[in-house]
């Protein structure tokens, strides 16, 4: 199936990275403990989540919803957007076109 997009891939992934960084426990998806996560500086944390954002983007092409930390990421193919929810509500919408 794949995620269809018309915007620059790097822009989409940067927005997705920001959204994933805001999700509590997103490091769980990387199989890291809180202690391991806290030992990383901010740049290292961002780089880890940037890698996760790439994986999530491509994962959404086969699974339209992925659980990440205490939230989820949902691909809406009909509206060409990705919703990132912290579990209590949608806190980011990333437009793909």
């Amino acid at each position: 199936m794949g995620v269809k997009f018309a915007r620059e891939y790097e822009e989409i992934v940067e927005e997705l990275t920001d959204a994933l960084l805001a999700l509590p426990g997103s490091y769980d998806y990387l199989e890291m403990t809180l202690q391991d996560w806290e030992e990383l500086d901010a740049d290292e944390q961002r780089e880890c989540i940037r890698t996760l954002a790439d994986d999530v983007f491509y994962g959404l092409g086969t699974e339209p919803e992925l659980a990440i930390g205490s939230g989820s990421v949902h691909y809406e193919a009909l509206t060409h957007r990705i919703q990132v929810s912290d579990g209590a509500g949608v806190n980011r919408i990333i437009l793909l076109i």
Side-chain angles (χ1 to χ4, degrees), residues 1-94:
M1 168 173 120
V3 173
K4 295 185 180 186
F5 62 98
R7 291 181 56 210
E8 289 292 324
Y9 177 76
E10 289 300 318
E11 291 176 12
I12 294 168
V13 170
E14 282 304 310
E15 286 184 36
L16 186 53
T17 298
D18 291 340
L20 293 174
L21 276 168
L23 283 182
S26 58
Y27 56 84
D28 282 342
Y29 201 82
L30 301 169
E31 299 181 359
M32 297 179 78
T33 65
L34 177 58
Q35 181 180 351
D36 292 337
W37 180 250
E38 289 177 340
E39 289 176 1
L40 300 176
D41 66 32
D43 289 337
E44 292 170 322
Q45 288 178 351
R46 183 170 187 79
E47 188 59 34
C48 286
I49 297 299
R50 168 63 169 82
T51 301
L52 175 59
D54 277 324
D55 293 346
V56 165
F57 185 84
Y58 286 102
L60 290 171
T62 57
E63 288 291 324
E65 186 162 353
L66 299 170
I68 307 289
S70 64
S72 64
V73 180
H74 180 79
Y75 171 50
E76 295 182 346
L78 294 177
T79 58
H80 305 288
R81 62 187 187 172
I82 296 172
Q83 286 189 358
V84 181
S85 171
D86 62 6
V90 174
N91 50 337
R92 294 273 174 109
I93 294 176
I94 299 162

